[in-house]
Amino acid sequence: MSSKIPIRFLDAGLGTTLESPPHNAKFQANSSLWSSDFLITSPSTLSGVHKAFVEAGADVLLTATYQASLEGFAATKKKLPAASTGEDKQENAGTADKEEAATYSSKEEASRLMRSAVPLARQAFSAARGSDDTKSNKRKEQVALSLGAYGATMKPSTEYSGEYKPEKMQTVEGLADWHEERLLLFKDDETTWNDIDNISFETIPVLQEVQAVRQVMAKHNSSEPSKKKKKKEWWISCVFPNDDLTLPDGNPVSAVVAAMLQTTTGENNGGQRPWGIGINCTDIRKLNQLILQYETAAQQYILDDDDDDNNNNNNNNNKNTNPTPPSSTTPKKTQHRPWLILYPDGAQGSIYDTNTQQWEIDPQIKAKAKGPQQQRPWHEEFADIITKIAERGCCCWKGVVVGGCCKTTADDIRKLRERLASLREAEGCFFFLETG
């Protein structure tokens, strides 16, 4: 490997952090919004969690919009703000029943609440810096718009099973229409859109949804020099709950990566190619094998930079020579390498029951257990995985974004960053921690 690979840090599990002390949120099985509910009830709580993630070392913050959707807000009963006390309660007493019966069915109101998640994340960086403005030059400070899978907005959620209803939502067209409508809630407000650095399509369980997202981004993510707009960095990350390392819909990693990276000669060339591809909300014990499969599959679609430079030189030296057209059976390659996006969960052998919205011990692990089960600390295991990626010197990746999903905390991110920082000082280290 001719150069070290950059590492960028994402935050940890927002929803499960809110469920833990000192917040102790109780999300109900019939909830449509999960952590997005705090955009209504307690934005200050979200701000505090975002700030804690930054102080722990996160360069990129995901917005509290993972499960947010127009349908979700329309199904959410209005509540009096938690801060309403004393005279406020007295003043609102006569309208309480009416407020409880109403929902956030207005598109304008739901859009406003969803958009409010972006400045909440942005302000966490300045809050963490305090009066020390020099800190902003030491690390990246990026806000990533979190857009969960369609299944994440269902009741109960189905992003771990890929069981989508109605039938229209089992098609690329239906999913593209749905994702486009939600994306435009943010894009249509120029201030909000300009404040977003990255877009994260997360926990995708079905191949059609990967294809749908690429079509939507081909339509809505382009540079506009006249308006000083640049393409957004965006990624697709999939979830792999199955023991055979397949997507919930049964597709293997090779098909997933092909759907993410392959280009065709058809309309939109198969959709816009993402800036990053990856894995999230997946047991960390599966991660290394999944990454190896990602790398094997991705090499078919990525032209090594050195090879591309050589090809350009040869073409310049032989301008009258007609290049040999690629074989129709060979996947089309591109010079641009994606970033690898990794944020596994920290469930330590637990699995999430989407019906009860509770974490429970995996029955298979419980059955195999003959005594106390000792698993390595999450940050140690993850640091070893990241180091192996860098040591392999795979030409697939431009860089790696690392963070945590469900059941990971700000402390996990702090420990991960500290461990990688200590390994960085070692002789022969193959990565570096990216700065601003």
Side-chain angles (χ1 to χ4, degrees):
M1 188 172 183
S2 59
S3 60
K4 294 184 178 182
I5 190 167
I7 305 290
R8 192 180 298 180
F9 288 85
L10 194 61
D11 57 16
L14 177 59
T16 50
T17 295
L18 291 169
E19 287 180 316
S20 304
H23 312 295
N24 299 313
K26 301 295 182 184
F27 297 117
Q28 302 300 316
N30 63 352
S31 171
S32 300
L33 298 178
W34 207 30
S35 56
S36 298
D37 191 67
F38 278 73
L39 295 171
I40 304 169
T41 60
S42 186
S44 61
T45 299
L46 290 175
S47 296
V49 175
H50 285 321
K51 181 173 178 280
F53 288 155
V54 175
E55 291 172 339
D59 306 306
V60 185
L61 290 177
L62 287 160
T63 57
T65 51
Y66 173 74
Q67 280 185 303
S69 67
L70 292 176
E71 300 92 333
F73 275 93
T76 300
K77 291 182 178 180
K78 286 190 175 183
K79 328 172 183 56
L80 293 175
S84 294
T85 57
E87 293 182 3
D88 290 336
K89 281 187 175 180
Q90 190 84 14
E91 181 180 343
N92 290 314
T95 59
D97 292 339
K98 182 178 178 182
E99 290 286 341
E100 286 291 342
T103 66
Y104 297 90
S105 56
S106 162
K107 180 177 179 180
E108 291 72 20
E109 189 173 22
S111 300
R112 176 184 58 78
L113 286 165
M114 281 189 263
R115 291 167 182 161
S116 72
V118 176
L120 278 179
R122 177 66 65 194
Q123 291 159 11
F125 289 109
S126 56
R129 284 200 311 270
S131 60
D132 187 357
D133 289 334
T134 62
K135 289 183 180 180
S136 63
N137 297 321
K138 296 178 181 179
R139 293 216 317 259
K140 290 278 185 184
E141 293 186 353
Q142 295 188 323
V143 172
L145 177 62
S146 172
L147 298 176
Y150 166 73
T153 67
M154 297 180 67
K155 294 190 303 181
S157 59
T158 60
E159 72 266 48
Y160 302 107
S161 67
E163 296 176 0
Y164 282 8
K165 295 178 182 179
E167 189 173 343
K168 175 186 177 182
M169 304 310 291
Q170 298 169 21
T171 68
V172 173
E173 294 76 15
L175 288 166
D177 289 344
W178 185 85
H179 276 283
E180 180 178 33
E181 180 183 38
R182 183 174 58 171
L183 183 70
L184 288 177
L185 299 178
F186 298 92
K187 187 181 180 184
D188 285 348
D189 184 82
E190 186 173 357
T191 300
T192 301
W193 190 249
N194 289 340
D195 210 18
I196 294 168
D197 300 297
N198 317 101
I199 302 173
S200 169
F201 294 94
E202 311 178 83
T203 328
I204 303 298
V206 296
L207 215 59
Q208 292 96 323
E209 196 159 14
V210 173
Q211 296 163 338
V213 165
R214 288 186 63 185
Q215 287 187 13
V216 171
M217 293 306 288
K219 188 175 178 181
H220 293 290
N221 188 37
S222 60
S223 295
E224 298 180 50
S226 61
K227 297 182 180 180
K228 297 183 179 180
K229 285 186 178 180
K230 296 181 179 179
K231 283 185 178 181
K232 303 292 184 187
E233 295 178 346
W234 66 283
W235 69 76
I236 303 174
S237 59
C238 287
V239 60
F240 294 89
N242 299 335
D243 289 337
D244 61 359
L245 305 183
T246 58
L247 211 59
D249 69 0
N251 273 291
V253 169
S254 57
V256 174
V257 173
M260 290 172 165
L261 297 180
Q262 192 170 34
T263 57
T264 67
T265 56
E267 185 178 358
N268 287 331
N269 293 320
Q272 188 174 101
R273 187 165 175 163
W275 171 86
I277 64 172
I279 303 157
N280 79 293
C281 213
T282 295
D283 191 328
I284 196 169
R285 293 168 298 179
K286 301 175 183 177
L287 196 59
N288 193 54
Q289 287 301 313
L290 283 166
I291 294 168
L292 290 171
Q293 291 189 36
Y294 261 67
E295 290 178 351
T296 298
Q299 288 179 28
Q300 300 180 69
Y301 309 103
I302 297 168
L303 183 65
D304 185 74
D305 289 342
D306 293 334
D307 290 342
D308 188 70
D309 290 339
N310 291 333
N311 289 338
N312 287 338
N313 290 335
N314 290 335
N315 289 336
N316 289 335
N317 294 330
N318 302 282
K319 292 183 179 179
N320 294 325
T321 303
N322 293 324
T324 303
S327 167
S328 59
T329 60
T330 303
K332 183 179 179 181
K333 296 187 178 184
T334 177
Q335 177 185 355
H336 304 296
R337 293 173 293 158
W339 280 64
L340 178 63
I341 316 296
L342 303 171
Y343 43 123
D345 66 36
Q348 298 284 321
S350 297
I351 57 175
Y352 185 66
D353 187 317
T354 57
N355 290 300
T356 64
Q357 292 192 327
Q358 299 293 322
W359 289 89
E360 301 173 357
I361 298 297
D362 186 335
Q364 294 184 353
I365 294 177
K366 193 172 183 179
K368 293 177 182 177
K370 296 181 180 179
Q373 298 298 298
Q374 296 294 325
Q375 187 170 333
R376 291 183 65 198
W378 181 88
H379 70 280
E380 290 184 10
E381 189 164 358
F382 199 6
D384 285 354
I385 291 169
I386 297 163
T387 303
K388 288 175 183 176
I389 295 169
E391 288 177 347
R392 283 196 296 272
C394 177
C395 65
C396 296
W397 316 122
K398 192 75 173 178
V400 185
V401 176
V402 298
C405 205
C406 297
K407 305 295 282 185
T408 58
T409 65
D411 195 48
D412 288 323
I413 300 303
R414 179 181 293 106
K415 289 178 179 178
L416 177 63
R417 188 167 189 126
E418 289 173 351
R419 186 167 183 85
L420 288 175
S422 66
L423 293 173
R424 178 191 58 186
E425 303 301 326
E427 184 178 353
C429 174
F430 292 101
F431 62 84
F432 68 92
L433 309 188
E434 192 179 42
T435 57

